[in-house]
Amino acid sequence: MAAKSTTLTTLLRLFYVCSLVQYAVSQRPTTPDIRIPPISDNRTISIVNNCSFPVYPAVLTTNGTGPYTTGFYLPSKQSRNVWVGWDWSGRLWARTNCSFYLANSTTSVKIRDVVDNFTIPDGQKLAGNCLTGDCGSAIECQLSGLAPTTLAEFTMTGWMQQTFYDISLVDGYDLDMKITPFHDSPEKPRVNNTPICVASTTLSSALAGTDLYQNSLNESFSFNNIHRWCPRQNLLFTSQKGKQSVFPYPDDDDPTIGGGWTPCLSACAYTQSEWDCCTGKHDKAETCGPNLYSKRAKQVCGDAYSYAYDDYLSTFAVPSVKGEGFEVMFCPGGVSTNILKTLLGSGSSSGLQDLGRGLWVSFAVVLGLLPWFGLI
């Protein structure tokens, strides 16, 4: 009996020790794999740099579960995926003409240039900035980018379980952009819910193949004079002659430039007035309308937000589905789309008929009913 009791005690002790070891192993910290971040029911955003120059994409979270990174280096013709939660809302943009370097933390003397994926040694700090979309001396942004920036904005799960998204020029314009929501796969995008904003000839190229399929093109500006849309006082730089930049100054008299581009400040970013920013006593649609900048921006990029209350001609929606993906492409090439205006129709002689059609399309977009009518 005593031998059995001793044996049982030994087994219980062994089981107890094994349990402790197993618990300790389970509690041991693990190195997270950034390729598969721990976000349940996530949504994928594929960020594509189709520009001929590198950019630093940045992501700002305004609500919900944000991505594993808020900024990184992306070479020309490369892409990178980020994942966000089903509850995420935020904005995404590209920083251009960036230069980052390590400097002495006390004297600020430059030590060496850096690009990405580096360790800051003791006694040093990260310094540098970007020409557009800058968020300070940081590769991973904690702040919104300085104007002017072309923005991709998302609310992954909004009203009626819809994902709402748009291209915004409310803060200004610096790069062309396209947002493509994937349906069953990247090879089957929702083509009629794919807004494209192309506002610079120097950053653009002709569309071809499937990219041209079912695009509702905005031809208010010809390819040869598209760079003239920005009001001259809103141009970010008074002159770029002799300065190295991906944004040449649009001077038609300079044969070495041939009508290039410089980023364009929105009216709000330029004047900061209540009228242009739709703030203060002008913080509602009845008291804030389009200005010269927003009217021209809407001409050249029909599907983009041009000012704060440009909602029903700028907001896109698709059903919020687990695993749904989106592609945000910089410098997509081609010409802008004007999808929502095309759905509204522009050939009617009756203003009331246009208004009624507009309200119907807005309602259908918000409720995600367009697939029912074969529109996406």
Side-chain angles (χ1 to χ4, degrees), residues 99-104 107-114 127:
S99 176
F100 293 107
Y101 58 91
L102 293 178
N104 185 285
T107 66
S108 297
V109 174
K110 180 178 179 179
I111 297 174
R112 66 181 178 90
D113 292 319
V114 294

Coordinates of all heavy atoms in Angstrom, one line a residue, residues 99-104 107-114 127:
S99 N 13.8 62.3 -47.9 CA 15.2 62.1 -47.6 C 15.3 62.0 -46.1 O 15.0 62.9 -45.3 CB 16.1 63.3 -48.0 OG 17.4 63.2 -47.7
F100 N 15.8 60.8 -45.6 CA 15.9 60.5 -44.2 C 17.4 60.2 -43.9 O 18.1 59.6 -44.8 CB 15.0 59.4 -43.8 CG 13.6 59.7 -43.8 CD1 12.8 59.1 -44.8 CD2 13.0 60.5 -42.9 CE1 11.4 59.4 -44.9 CE2 11.6 60.9 -43.0 CZ 10.8 60.3 -43.9
Y101 N 17.8 60.5 -42.7 CA 19.2 60.3 -42.4 C 19.4 60.2 -40.8 O 18.5 60.7 -40.1 CB 20.2 61.3 -42.9 CG 19.9 62.8 -42.5 CD1 20.4 63.3 -41.4 CD2 19.0 63.5 -43.2 CE1 20.1 64.6 -41.0 CE2 18.7 64.8 -42.8 CZ 19.3 65.4 -41.7 OH 19.0 66.7 -41.3
L102 N 20.4 59.5 -40.4 CA 20.7 59.5 -39.0 C 21.6 60.7 -38.6 O 22.5 61.0 -39.4 CB 21.4 58.2 -38.6 CG 20.6 56.9 -38.7 CD1 21.4 55.7 -38.4 CD2 19.4 57.0 -37.8
A103 N 21.3 61.3 -37.5 CA 22.1 62.5 -37.1 C 22.5 62.4 -35.7 O 21.9 61.6 -34.9 CB 21.3 63.8 -37.3
N104 N 23.5 63.1 -35.3 CA 23.9 63.2 -33.9 C 22.7 63.8 -33.1 O 22.1 64.8 -33.4 CB 25.1 64.1 -33.7 CG 25.6 64.1 -32.3 OD1 25.1 64.7 -31.4 ND2 26.7 63.3 -32.1
T107 N 23.9 67.4 -31.6 CA 24.4 68.5 -32.6 C 23.6 68.5 -33.9 O 23.7 69.5 -34.6 CB 25.8 68.3 -32.9 OG1 26.0 67.0 -33.6 CG2 26.7 68.2 -31.6
S108 N 22.8 67.5 -34.1 CA 22.0 67.3 -35.4 C 22.9 67.2 -36.6 O 22.4 67.4 -37.7 CB 21.0 68.5 -35.5 OG 20.1 68.5 -34.5
V109 N 24.2 66.9 -36.4 CA 25.1 66.7 -37.6 C 24.7 65.4 -38.3 O 24.6 64.4 -37.6 CB 26.5 66.8 -37.1 CG1 27.5 66.4 -38.3 CG2 26.9 68.1 -36.6
K110 N 24.6 65.5 -39.6 CA 24.3 64.3 -40.4 C 25.4 63.2 -40.3 O 26.6 63.6 -40.4 CB 24.0 64.7 -41.8 CG 23.6 63.5 -42.7 CD 23.3 64.0 -44.1 CE 23.0 62.9 -45.1 NZ 22.7 63.3 -46.5
I111 N 25.0 62.0 -40.1 CA 25.9 60.9 -40.0 C 25.9 60.0 -41.3 O 26.9 59.8 -41.9 CB 25.7 60.0 -38.8 CG1 25.9 60.9 -37.5 CG2 26.6 58.8 -38.7 CD1 25.5 60.1 -36.2
R112 N 24.7 59.6 -41.6 CA 24.6 58.8 -42.9 C 23.1 58.7 -43.3 O 22.2 58.9 -42.5 CB 25.1 57.4 -42.7 CG 24.3 56.5 -41.7 CD 24.9 55.1 -41.6 NE 24.2 54.3 -40.6 CZ 23.2 53.4 -41.0 NH1 22.8 53.4 -42.2 NH2 22.6 52.7 -40.1
D113 N 22.9 58.6 -44.6 CA 21.6 58.4 -45.1 C 21.0 57.1 -44.8 O 21.7 56.1 -44.7 CB 21.6 58.6 -46.7 CG 21.9 60.0 -47.1 OD1 21.4 61.0 -46.4 OD2 22.7 60.2 -48.1
V114 N 19.7 57.0 -44.6 CA 19.0 55.7 -44.4 C 17.7 55.7 -45.3 O 17.2 56.7 -45.7 CB 18.6 55.5 -42.9 CG1 19.9 55.4 -42.1 CG2 17.7 56.7 -42.4
A127 N 16.4 61.9 -38.7 CA 16.1 63.3 -39.2 C 15.7 63.2 -40.7 O 15.8 62.2 -41.3 CB 17.3 64.2 -39.0

